[in-house]
């Protein structure tokens, strides 16, 4: 399906940071009112937005908190959607996205926030899925409500598939909460299949995640 004559798809730039922050916040909520990342750090949504801006300003390639990881969609210059993605572990420092993210958090967040996070590791550890080196990772997808149903998400993800092919990746992976039926359906239509899932029975996990089960979905790439 080619709708590129109607909508523009391009790599994100620094001037898109506000929309990328909104994308991260919306994706973290996953159609719920629960902003787990803010709860995890014990900060407000406004404070989280400020910290996200600082991390994105650092422009560290190879993790979800990087402007260069995002592709955006525009309608006559209006930002209407975004999806993040990167090649896992293949950056100038050969570091995993988890390491890069940890370094960013440690650099930007106050010590008391880091301590709050460390105190909750046992609560959330069962929903952590290791990212496979050399695979293309998709993280954070959002389209403005009035543009949903117009295949914007599919177009954005297709752009990432093209990037993955150029990078020589053999597969694309993404993590989706089991309750996010829309994203699961869209991914399925694009050729993703569920390859594993992690669940947590910890009584407090719902304070930090929108669901107690997370799926690993995977798509093979033909280069």
């Amino acid at each position: 399906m080619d709708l590129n004559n109607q909508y523009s798809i391009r790599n994100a730039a620094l001037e898109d940071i506000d929309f990328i922050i909104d994308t991260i916040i919306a994706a973290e909520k996953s159609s719920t009112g629960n902003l787990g990342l803010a709860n995890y750090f014990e900060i407000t949504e406004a404070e989280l937005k400020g910290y996200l801006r600082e991390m994105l300003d650092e422009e560290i390639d190879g993790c979800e908190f990087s402007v260069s990881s995002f592709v955006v969609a525009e309608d006559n210059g209006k930002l209407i959607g975004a999806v993040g993605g990167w090649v896992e572990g293949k950056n100038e420092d050969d570091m995993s996205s988890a390491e890069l993210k940890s370094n960013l958090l440690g650099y930007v967040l106050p010590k008391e926030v880091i301590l709050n996070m460390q105190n909750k590791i046992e609560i959330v550890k069962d929903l952590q899925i290791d990212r496979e080196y050399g695979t293309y990772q998709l993280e954070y997808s959002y389209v403005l409500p009035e543009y949903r149903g117009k295949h914007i998400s599919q177009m954005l993800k297709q752009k990432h598939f093209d990037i993955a092919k150029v990078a020589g990746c053999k597969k694309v992976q993404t993590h989706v909460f089991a309750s996010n039926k829309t994203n699961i359906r869209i991914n399925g239509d694009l050729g993703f299949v569920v390859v594993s899932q992690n669940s947590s029975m910890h009584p407090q996990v719902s304070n930090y995640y929108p669901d107690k089960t997370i799926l690993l979905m995977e798509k093979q790439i033909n280069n």
Side-chain angles (χ1 to χ4, degrees), residues 74-143:
E74 290 181 313
D75 182 10
N76 293 316
K78 175 185 177 181
L79 289 169
I80 61 174
V83 174
W86 67 91
V87 181
E88 178 63 22
K90 292 190 177 181
N91 48 74
E92 61 178 337
D93 297 312
D94 291 324
M95 297 176 68
S96 70
S97 59
E99 291 173 312
L100 293 172
K101 181 178 175 180
S102 178
N103 288 345
L104 272 172
L105 292 173
Y107 178 73
V108 169
L109 298 179
K111 289 183 179 179
E112 62 270 20
V113 176
I114 296 294
L115 288 174
N116 289 336
M117 176 182 68
Q118 291 174 340
N119 290 335
K120 299 180 181 70
I121 290 175
E122 285 299 312
I123 299 175
V124 302
K125 67 177 184 178
D126 288 339
L127 289 183
Q128 304 299 311
I129 301 177
D130 292 335
R131 299 183 188 274
E132 185 178 339
Y133 179 84
T135 60
Y136 199 87
Q137 298 288 316
L138 293 182
E139 182 82 10
Y140 295 137
S141 176
Y142 176 66
V143 175

Side-chain angles (χ1 to χ4, degrees), residues 188-202:
D189 291 343
L190 289 170
F192 283 86
V193 295
V194 176
V195 294
S196 67
Q197 69 177 47
N198 285 19
S199 296
S200 173
M201 293 297 107
H202 196 287

